[in-house]
């Protein structure tokens, strides 16, 4: 090796250890590299989905990038530094591109189109081809072994990185506002925050290095990776993302053990070595039990979920069957009442009428359950056609007015003049309106009921106000959930299923609308709102 | 998983990247085709 190629420090020991490497670099890099490598390896091999493969690639590339960083700091050979530094410029951009691909796969839940892959590939191609040229790195400053960067490393790489980061933000923000699924929204926030913090930490340290020549700050850029791993762990444990169940806890323990193990690199006397050894042993011991307890908890949760799903399926089937039997019974009662040829006596007729009413209530009860259950399963189908919501309200109101009067309630229908045309499912919206009025009738022992329809700027507001039992603060949050009713609700309404309002919420959300309820408190009446976008 | 077209595309991209890495190694380590600067002055370029 010619002396003209060497930088002024000793040849590194085992390629990694040299006096030129700031001690903080080992501390910031080695545990992170090990943790990312372990997590990447598990995700790549055990995940089995495209998203987990791409996550494995991101973590693998990052580990390799970190290793190159230590090698560059340690090496005193300018030719090796130039080679590794060139690779880093390439890998850095590839990490950003892979992160964009990962975010797309997780958020959109499908692969990107071949055309978009081809476009991104063609955009990156000149960059890849120019890596071995002077446009990338011009040379090396022998006093520090730092590269003299060309336009590719100085501008193009950061340009690509900022471009990919912006695309990640745009993709996530768009998906966040297009989705009404709370779980998916939480996934989007967690993944994007983790990815962006990781990428911004990586790019900011390097930007400072490239434009000031001070590369000491770049080593702090690696602290973005533990944050990313933290968010990934949350996603894996909470949502079983990337098809992994336990990897979160295992990766956390391994990262902790790796972190403590890395202390061995800096301790230089027997007492400290002993202390680090004890800490290491304690971490391994407790880590083992932590992983074991998490494994048990996950197994229990899975068994419980499986049992719940089985029970829900069974209930669904039973209810479906009961509905069939009850509907048949209703036809029989109806036939008996309407066909005089059966010659029912006046004494028997009220009994048959009572049977008919009871079976009708039973059918409605079971139907409420089935509707809410279908909405939750996502098996409910809607037929969206142009409709007039005013007409639906008027039709439903006619029948419900009779029910209210039968109970001795005052019933008022107020429809403000306006255009109530929109696109929606006539039958399901009718059922939702029926459920809301029905709910108020059931929970208003005496007094009045006012049904109002108003036209807003871009929406239609339907509301039902009653002088009924009102709502406690406790019940408000669970009001529109399946089975979500007040603990005393069955004292007022013995037929309460707790599914009627959940169905209303499902229908409103399917029409990109919303539902809510207001009440001054228990015993003070309540108002239920359903707002739907107008045509 | 991924379709065959995409697999071919990524394999091709990987080959191009490997080719680029090989050429970078040739430039830096075999040919030493880069400027060496000391105290702001170029002290060597083997090409």
């Amino acid at each position: 090796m010619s002396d003209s190629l060497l930088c002024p420090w000793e040849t590194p020991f085992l390629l990694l250890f040299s006096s030129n490497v700031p001690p903080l670099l080992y501390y910031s890099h080695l545990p992170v590299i090990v943790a990312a490598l372990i997590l990447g390896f598990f995700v790549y091999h055990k995940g089995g989905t495209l998203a987990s493969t791409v996550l494995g690639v991101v973590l693998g590339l990052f580990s390799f990038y970190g290793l190159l960083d230590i090698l560059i700091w340690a090496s005193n050979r300018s030719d090796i530094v130039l080679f590794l530094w060139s690779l880093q410029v390439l890998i850095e951009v590839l990490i950003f591109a892979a992160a964009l691909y990962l975010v797309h796969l997780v958020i959109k839940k499908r692969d990107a189109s071949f055309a978009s892959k081809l476009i991104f590939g063609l955009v990156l191609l000149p960059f890849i081809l120019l890596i071995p040229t002077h446009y990338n790195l011009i040379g090396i400053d022998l006093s520090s072994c730092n590269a003299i960067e060309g336009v590719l490393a100085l501008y193009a790489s950061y340009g690509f990185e900022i471009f990919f980061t912006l695309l990640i933000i745009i993709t996530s923000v768009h998906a966040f506002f297009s989705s009404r699924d709370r779980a998916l929204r939480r996934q989007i926030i967690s993944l994007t925050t983790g990815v962006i913090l990781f990428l911004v930490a990586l790019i900011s340290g390097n930007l400072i290095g490239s434009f000031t020549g001070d590369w000491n700050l770049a080593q702090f850029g690696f602290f973005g990776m533990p944050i990313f791993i933290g968010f990934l762990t949350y996603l894996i444990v909470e949502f079983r993302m990337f098809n992994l169940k336990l990897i979160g806890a295992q990766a956390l323990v391994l990262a902790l053990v790796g972190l403590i193990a890395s202390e061995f690199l800096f301790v230089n006397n027997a007492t400290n070595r002993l202390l680090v050894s004890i800490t290491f042993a304690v971490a391994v011991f407790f880590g083992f039990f932590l992983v074991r307890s998490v494994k048990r908890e996950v197994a229990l949760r899975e068994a419980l979920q499986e049992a719940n799903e089985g029970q829900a399926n069974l209930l669904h089937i039973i209810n479906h069957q009961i509905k069939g039997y009850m509907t048949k019974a209703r036809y029989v009662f109806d036939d008996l009442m309407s066909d005089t040829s059966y010659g029912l006596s006046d004494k028997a007729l009220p009994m048959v009428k009572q049977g008919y009413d009871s079976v009708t209530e039973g059918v409605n009860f079971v139907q409420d359950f089935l509707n809410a259950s279908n909405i939750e399963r996502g098996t409910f189908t809607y037929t969206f056609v142009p409709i007039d919501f005013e007409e639906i309200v008027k039709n439903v109101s006619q029948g419900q007015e009779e029910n209210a009067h039968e109970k001795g309630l005052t019933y008022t229908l107020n429809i403000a003049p306006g255009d109530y045309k929109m696109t929606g499912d006539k039958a399901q919206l009718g059922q939702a309106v029926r459920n809301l009025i029905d709910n108020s009738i059931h929970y208003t022992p005496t007094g009045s009921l006012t049904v109002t329809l108003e036209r807003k700027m871009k929406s239609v507001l339907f509301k039902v106000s009653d002088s009924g039992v009102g709502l406690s603060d406790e019940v408000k949050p669970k009001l529109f959930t399946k089975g979500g009713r007040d603990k005393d609700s069955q004292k007022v309404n013995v037929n309460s299923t707790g599914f009627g309002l959940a169905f209303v919420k499902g229908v409103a959300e399917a029409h990109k609308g919303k539902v809510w309820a207001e009440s001054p408190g228990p015993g003070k009446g309540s108002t239920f709102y359903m707002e739907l976008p107008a045509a | 998983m991924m379709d065959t077209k995409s697999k071919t595309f990524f394999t091709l991209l990987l080959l191009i990247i490997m080719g680029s890495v090989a050429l970078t190694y040739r430039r830096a380590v075999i040919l030493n085709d880069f400027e060496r600067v000391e105290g702001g002055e170029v002290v060597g370029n083997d090409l």
Side-chain angles (χ1 to χ4, degrees):
Chain A
M1 171 59 47
S2 150
D3 278 354
S4 69
L5 282 169
L6 294 178
C7 300
W9 58 85
E10 81 283 3
T11 305
F13 172 64
L14 292 175
L15 299 172
L16 292 173
F17 302 100
S18 137
S19 61
N20 187 51
V21 182
L24 182 68
L25 196 88
Y26 293 120
Y27 191 74
S28 68
H29 282 44
L30 278 178
V32 176
I33 290 170
V34 172
L37 200 63
I38 292 168
L39 189 62
F41 178 81
F42 274 98
V43 168
Y44 189 91
H45 281 281
K46 306 242 171 157
T49 64
L50 187 55
S52 44
T53 306
V54 175
L55 176 61
V57 168
V58 171
L59 293 168
L61 281 174
F62 175 80
S63 299
F64 187 46
Y65 178 88
L67 185 68
L68 289 180
D69 218 33
I70 302 180
L71 291 170
I72 289 169
W73 276 94
S75 178
N76 66 340
R77 279 183 56 177
S78 58
D79 56 340
I80 296 286
V81 169
L82 189 100
F83 172 59
L84 301 179
W85 197 302
S86 301
L87 285 193
Q88 261 204 325
V89 174
L90 175 65
I91 289 166
E92 202 177 312
V93 171
L94 293 180
I95 290 174
F96 279 70
L100 172 66
Y101 191 25
L102 173 73
V103 169
H104 176 94
L105 287 171
V106 172
I107 289 178
K108 305 268 180 182
K109 312 263 182 223
R110 61 180 156 79
D111 194 4
S113 67
F114 180 71
S116 56
K117 284 177 204 158
L118 197 65
I119 290 168
F120 279 104
L122 288 173
V123 168
L124 278 174
L125 193 62
F127 181 79
I128 297 167
L129 294 175
L130 287 173
I131 288 290
T133 67
H134 288 79
Y135 294 106
N136 183 17
L137 299 181
I138 298 163
I140 294 284
D141 184 334
L142 289 178
S143 58
S144 58
C145 248
N146 280 342
I148 303 158
E149 296 184 318
V151 282
L152 206 69
L154 262 182
Y155 303 107
S157 66
Y158 295 120
F160 273 121
E161 287 165 22
I162 293 168
F163 171 64
F164 287 132
T165 309
L166 287 176
L167 279 181
I168 289 172
I169 295 172
I170 292 167
T171 311
S172 305
V173 169
H174 179 258
F176 181 86
F177 286 108
S178 319
S179 168
R180 292 195 166 269
D181 181 348
R182 275 190 192 172
L184 181 65
R185 281 183 159 200
R186 267 165 59 206
Q187 289 175 22
I188 294 170
I189 291 177
S190 307
L191 181 75
T192 312
T193 313
V195 168
I196 295 295
L197 286 175
F198 155 56
L199 295 179
V200 167
L202 192 64
I203 195 176
S204 45
N206 289 347
L207 263 172
I208 294 168
S210 281
F211 289 96
T212 64
D214 180 4
W215 288 95
N216 279 308
L217 279 169
Q219 55 191 307
F220 293 103
F222 274 63
F223 288 118
M225 181 42 99
I227 299 172
F228 182 43
I229 291 180
F231 278 96
L232 283 177
T233 309
Y234 169 73
L235 286 167
I236 290 166
V237 173
E238 184 71 21
F239 301 105
R240 296 186 187 181
M241 206 172 262
F242 309 111
N243 216 14
L244 298 161
K245 295 159 196 167
L246 293 162
I247 193 72
Q250 283 167 337
L252 214 64
V253 168
L254 281 169
L256 181 72
V257 169
L259 201 72
I260 297 166
S262 67
E263 294 272 328
F264 283 114
L265 296 169
F266 322 114
V267 292
N268 44 16
N269 66 55
T271 317
N272 284 348
R273 264 192 211 109
L274 181 70
L275 283 173
V276 172
S277 303
I278 293 168
T279 321
F280 182 74
V282 169
V284 170
F285 181 76
F286 283 108
F288 170 77
F289 285 105
L290 173 70
V291 170
R292 206 170 69 163
S293 70
V294 171
K295 266 184 182 173
R296 278 186 189 157
E297 202 182 310
V298 170
L300 273 175
R301 198 170 65 178
E302 273 178 355
L304 195 66
Q305 203 170 345
E306 212 171 293
N308 276 342
E309 279 168 14
Q311 202 178 27
N313 280 336
L314 189 67
L315 271 174
H316 194 86
I317 294 164
I318 291 172
N319 274 291
H320 214 273
Q321 291 297 329
I322 290 175
K323 191 189 155 199
Y325 296 133
M326 283 184 147
T327 310
K328 270 184 203 162
R330 190 162 63 160
Y331 283 134
V332 172
F333 282 124
D334 191 34
D335 215 22
L336 280 172
M337 285 194 300
S338 55
D339 194 340
T340 50
S341 67
Y342 291 114
L344 280 185
S345 68
D346 289 347
K347 210 174 172 183
L349 207 60
M351 300 280 282
V352 174
K353 170 82 169 69
Q354 210 178 341
Y356 175 82
D357 289 345
S358 180
V359 170
T360 304
E361 266 181 33
V363 170
N364 292 341
F365 184 98
V366 173
Q367 189 59 54
D368 269 0
F369 174 86
L370 289 172
N371 284 344
S373 166
N374 280 330
I375 281 186
E376 195 183 61
R377 288 156 163 242
T379 51
F380 209 88
T381 49
Y382 295 91
T383 314
F384 289 94
V385 289
I387 52 161
D388 186 351
F389 193 58
E390 184 181 355
E391 195 186 303
I392 293 174
V393 173
K394 276 182 178 167
N395 285 342
V396 174
S397 191
Q398 272 175 359
Q400 295 294 61
E401 192 172 359
E402 278 175 34
N403 294 339
H405 287 156
E406 269 177 30
K407 206 179 169 184
L409 303 173
T410 315
Y411 185 96
T412 318
L413 172 67
N414 290 326
I415 298 183
D419 180 13
Y420 294 101
K421 288 190 173 55
M422 61 168 76
T423 307
D425 187 310
K426 195 175 175 181
Q428 306 316 337
L429 280 174
Q431 188 60 45
V433 167
R434 192 173 295 112
N435 281 10
L436 281 174
I437 301 175
D438 212 37
N439 179 67
S440 282
I441 293 174
H442 278 125
Y443 290 100
T444 309
T446 55
S448 62
L449 204 81
T450 308
V451 177
T452 314
L453 186 60
E454 290 169 14
R455 174 69 209 241
K456 300 280 178 192
M457 278 287 281
K458 290 180 176 175
S459 63
V460 167
L461 183 67
F462 172 77
K463 60 179 177 180
V464 185
S465 306
D466 62 55
S467 59
V469 295
L471 302 166
S472 63
D473 288 340
E474 201 184 312
V475 75
K476 279 179 190 168
K478 52 184 180 182
L479 202 58
F480 292 96
T481 59
K482 199 173 144 191
R485 59 185 169 203
D486 205 344
K487 59 182 188 301
D488 296 328
S489 67
Q490 284 187 309
K491 288 179 189 167
V492 187
N493 174 19
V494 287
N495 295 324
S496 165
T497 59
F499 297 128
L501 294 180
F503 173 78
V504 177
K505 185 173 186 264
V507 173
E509 286 182 351
H511 287 79
K512 297 199 186 304
K514 57 179 181 177
V515 282
W516 72 100
E518 288 169 6
S519 170
K524 294 175 181 167
S526 40
T527 305
F528 289 81
Y529 298 86
M530 177 163 72
E531 191 171 12
L532 301 165
Chain B
M1 285 303 278
M2 205 178 274
D3 58 274
T4 320
K5 252 196 314 188
S6 296
K7 273 185 188 165
T8 315
F9 166 76
F10 280 115
T11 311
L12 203 64
L13 196 66
L14 192 67
L15 283 173
I16 294 170
I17 289 170
M18 284 164 71
S20 176
V21 170
L23 286 173
T24 309
Y25 183 81
R26 179 175 170 268
R27 177 202 170 198
V29 183
I30 299 173
L31 300 177
N32 296 147
D33 175 21
F34 60 94
E35 287 179 7
R36 267 98 65 198
V37 178
E38 218 167 5
E41 282 187 28
V42 179
V43 292
N45 185 333
D46 287 4
L47 278 193

